[in-house]
Amino acid sequence: AQSVTQLDSQVPVFEEAPVELRCNYSSSVSVYLFWYVQYPNQGLQLLLKYLSGSTLVKGINGFEAEFNKSQTSFHLRKPSVHISDTAEYFCAVSGPSGFQKLVFGTGTRLLVSP
Amino acid sequence: ETGVTQTPRHLVMGMTNKKSLKCEQHLGHNAMYWYKQSAKKPLELMFVYSLEERVENNSVPSRFSPECPNSSHLFLHLHTLQPEDSALYLCASSQERNYGYTFGSGTRLTVV
C-alpha cells in the first residue's frame, strides 16, 4: 500500500517569492506521483505527474517537481509565485495497476500575499 | 460539453431524505471514482468503477449506494444520511494506462 505525507498544512509567502511545497511518500513498489491544485469551490486540477524518465517534471502555471527516489520525495516548486496561485495543493501517489487508485496527502494551503 | 460534470453543485438535505448525485464524463474514460472531501481530512476514496464494474468499496456505509449504468455516468444515491456526511463529494474519471484523473467540480452536500 502507498501513503503520502504533506508536512506543511499551510505555507504563507509573498508575491514574486519562490516557494517549495513538500511531499514524501512510502511504497513497497514502484510508484507514479502527482500534484493537483484545488481552487476555492472547484474540483482538483492536475498540475504535473511523474511516471518515469527525467526526475525533473515541469507542469502547468510555471510549477515543477523533482522526484527523489532515495529520499522518497516529490517536492513542488515555483521560482516566483502570483496572488492567483493561492489554492490548496495535493500530492498523490499510485501504484502501477491497470486502473489507477490514487492516494492523496492531506493538502497544503498556499497563501500568497502582496 | 467536455470534461467531468457533476450535478447538483450544492445540495441541502434532511436526514430522512433520499437524493442522488450525478456525474457524467465526456472523455471516453473507462474508470470512474467517488471521493469524499471533508475539512482537515485527506480525500477519502469511496468507490471505484472500472468498465462499469465496481472494483472497490472502501468500507463505505450502506446509506451511500453507487450506480454506474454505463461508462459515461456515475451516480451516488443517498438516504438517511448523518450530519457528519456533510462534505464535498468529488467524482473523477481516468483511462487505463493514461495516467491522471480528471475531476469534476464537486457537489457540496450539507445534511441538516
Side-chain angles (χ1 to χ4, degrees):
Chain A
Q2 294 89 29
S3 67
V4 176
T5 301
Q6 292 181 253
L7 288 173
D8 304 308
S9 60
Q10 188 166 290
V11 173
V13 65
F14 289 110
E15 193 175 19
E16 297 184 8
V19 70
E20 177 180 85
L21 305 184
R22 296 182 294 169
C23 172
N24 288 89
Y25 69 92
S26 66
S27 176
S28 58
V29 298
S30 60
V31 296
Y32 303 124
L33 293 155
F34 307 81
W35 275 100
Y36 284 83
V37 60
Q38 185 178 31
Y39 299 103
N41 301 314
Q42 294 188 29
L44 278 70
Q45 179 183 4
L46 181 66
L47 269 180
L48 49 80
K49 59 188 176 186
Y50 172 79
L51 305 180
S52 64
S54 173
T55 57
L56 183 62
V57 180
K58 294 190 182 297
I60 61 172
N61 301 339
F63 284 93
E64 63 182 33
E66 186 156 18
F67 171 59
N68 188 318
K69 188 174 182 180
S70 62
Q71 297 187 6
T72 60
S73 68
F74 190 55
H75 301 331
L76 182 70
R77 301 187 185 101
K78 186 170 183 178
S80 176
V81 295
H82 302 289
I83 297 286
S84 59
D85 292 323
T86 295
E88 191 89 18
Y89 291 80
F90 293 91
C91 183
V93 62
S94 76
S97 61
F99 66 89
Q100 291 179 281
K101 187 176 74 172
L102 285 183
V103 175
F104 288 86
T106 51
T108 297
R109 178 146 186 81
L110 177 63
L111 290 168
V112 183
S113 52
Chain B
E1 195 170 350
T2 59
V4 178
T5 304
Q6 289 187 245
T7 55
R9 290 296 307 275
H10 301 274
L11 178 62
V12 179
M13 59 185 289
M15 289 189 284
T16 58
N17 290 159
K18 288 185 180 182
K19 296 287 184 183
S20 295
L21 309 185
K22 179 182 177 182
C23 176
E24 186 173 1
Q25 59 99 358
H26 308 273
L27 301 166
H29 289 170
N30 59 9
M32 297 186 77
Y33 313 79
W34 280 116
Y35 276 85
K36 177 184 179 182
Q37 186 178 30
S38 306
K40 308 298 183 185
K41 293 174 72 174
L43 277 82
E44 301 171 54
L45 178 62
M46 299 176 72
F47 301 104
V48 181
Y49 276 82
S50 177
L51 299 172
E52 301 160 40
E53 284 191 40
R54 189 190 313 179
V55 295
E56 185 139 347
N57 176 347
N58 276 346
S59 303
V60 179
S62 59
R63 57 185 183 270
F64 294 92
S65 175
E67 179 189 1
C68 188
N70 55 61
S71 59
S72 299
H73 294 86
L74 185 64
F75 295 89
L76 188 62
H77 304 299
L78 317 170
H79 65 99
T80 59
L81 295 190
Q82 305 299 311
E84 61 264 28
D85 297 322
S86 298
L88 181 68
Y89 289 85
L90 291 165
C91 173
S93 68
S94 71
Q95 178 66 26
E96 183 175 339
R97 303 200 185 282
N98 182 10
Y99 304 96
Y101 286 7
T102 300
F103 280 87
S105 297
T107 295
R108 174 69 64 186
L109 174 66
T110 303
V111 181
V112 296

